[in-house]
């Protein structure tokens, strides 16, 4: 895993650029609110971008109307990123299994959403490996907010 300073703003811009066409096909608005204090962090740029793209792609996949919003801020020594959607939401009892590999909440034979069930478990593994945390706030029918934190600068073991 890389441990170098990188331009977080450019990483955010690149991730948004990759999902905007997907959102556009569904008529979804993509917005962002990134604090001006977010400039660079020390870590693995490729993996941070992968986390952003996975979470943003999921937001697009599970949202049919409304918007996807990416927010970023600095809290103390932490980068805090939120991906917010107006999608289908997740029941409280399903949140506990959400980050487990190969788990899909819609797993019947008439599944509406495609995927392997690996995206969120990969995000969790990557965030954990970089010393951060990931969590979700959600309400069925109203949407979800995935929040992940990463240290701005992490001392390698």
């Amino acid at each position: 895993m890389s441990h170098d300073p990188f331009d977080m703003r450019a990483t955010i811009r690149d991730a948004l650029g990759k999902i905007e066409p997907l959102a556009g096909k569904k008529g979804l608005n993509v917005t962002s609110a990134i604090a001006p204090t977010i400039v660079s962090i020390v870590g693995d740029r490729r993996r941070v971008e992968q986390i952003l793209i996975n979470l943003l792609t999921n937001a697009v996949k599970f949202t049919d109307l409304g918007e996807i919003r990416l927010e970023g801020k600095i809290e103390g020594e932490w980068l805090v990123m939120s991906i917010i959607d107006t999608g289908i939401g997740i029941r409280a009892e399903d949140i506990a299994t959400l980050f487990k590999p190969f788990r899909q909440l819609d797993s019947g034979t008439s599944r509406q959403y495609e995927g392997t069930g690996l995206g969120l478990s990969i995000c969790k593994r990557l965030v954990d490996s970089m010393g951060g945390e990931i969590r979700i706030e959600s309400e069925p029918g109203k949407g979800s907010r995935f929040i992940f934190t990463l240290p701005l600068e992490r001392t390698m073991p």
Side-chain angles (χ1 to χ4, degrees):
M1 183 178 304
S2 175
H3 186 72
D4 299 304
F6 67 91
D7 183 342
M8 186 62 195
R9 292 189 89 72
T11 303
I12 291 168
R13 197 169 38 253
D14 291 349
L16 285 171
K18 288 178 179 153
I19 66 102
E20 283 171 340
L22 299 170
K25 285 180 184 173
K26 291 181 80 173
L28 300 172
N29 193 26
V30 177
T31 63
S32 63
I34 307 302
T37 51
I38 294 177
V39 182
S40 70
I41 68 171
V42 174
D44 190 321
R45 180 191 194 283
R46 189 175 56 83
R47 289 191 167 124
V48 172
E49 185 175 7
Q50 181 180 0
I51 293 164
L52 285 169
I53 290 170
N54 281 357
L55 294 174
L56 288 164
T57 301
N58 267 4
V60 170
K61 183 192 309 187
F62 294 105
T63 303
D64 290 325
L65 296 169
E67 75 170 355
I68 310 299
R69 182 168 178 79
L70 178 62
E71 295 178 354
K73 62 185 176 180
I74 303 292
E75 288 184 359
E77 298 298 314
W78 296 90
L79 169 71
V80 180
M81 299 298 299
S82 297
I83 295 84
I84 305 142
D85 66 57
T86 55
I88 62 173
I90 301 162
R91 298 178 314 172
E93 59 267 27
D94 290 330
I95 289 176
T97 61
L98 202 59
F99 294 105
K100 293 190 174 13
F102 303 109
R103 293 293 181 107
Q104 292 177 308
L105 303 182
D106 178 21
S107 60
T109 56
S110 62
R111 247 176 66 194
Q112 182 178 356
Y113 302 100
E114 294 296 318
T116 61
L118 285 173
L120 291 177
S121 67
I122 289 169
C123 287
K124 179 163 179 31
R125 187 175 46 85
L126 292 174
V127 168
D128 288 350
S129 72
M130 289 185 277
E133 293 181 355
I134 188 169
R135 68 182 193 280
I136 179 175
E137 299 166 358
S138 189
E139 190 175 332
K142 299 212 175 181
S144 301
R145 174 188 294 257
F146 283 83
I147 303 128
F148 71 92
T149 61
L150 294 173
L152 295 175
E153 190 162 343
R154 182 172 181 214
T155 306
M156 293 302 286

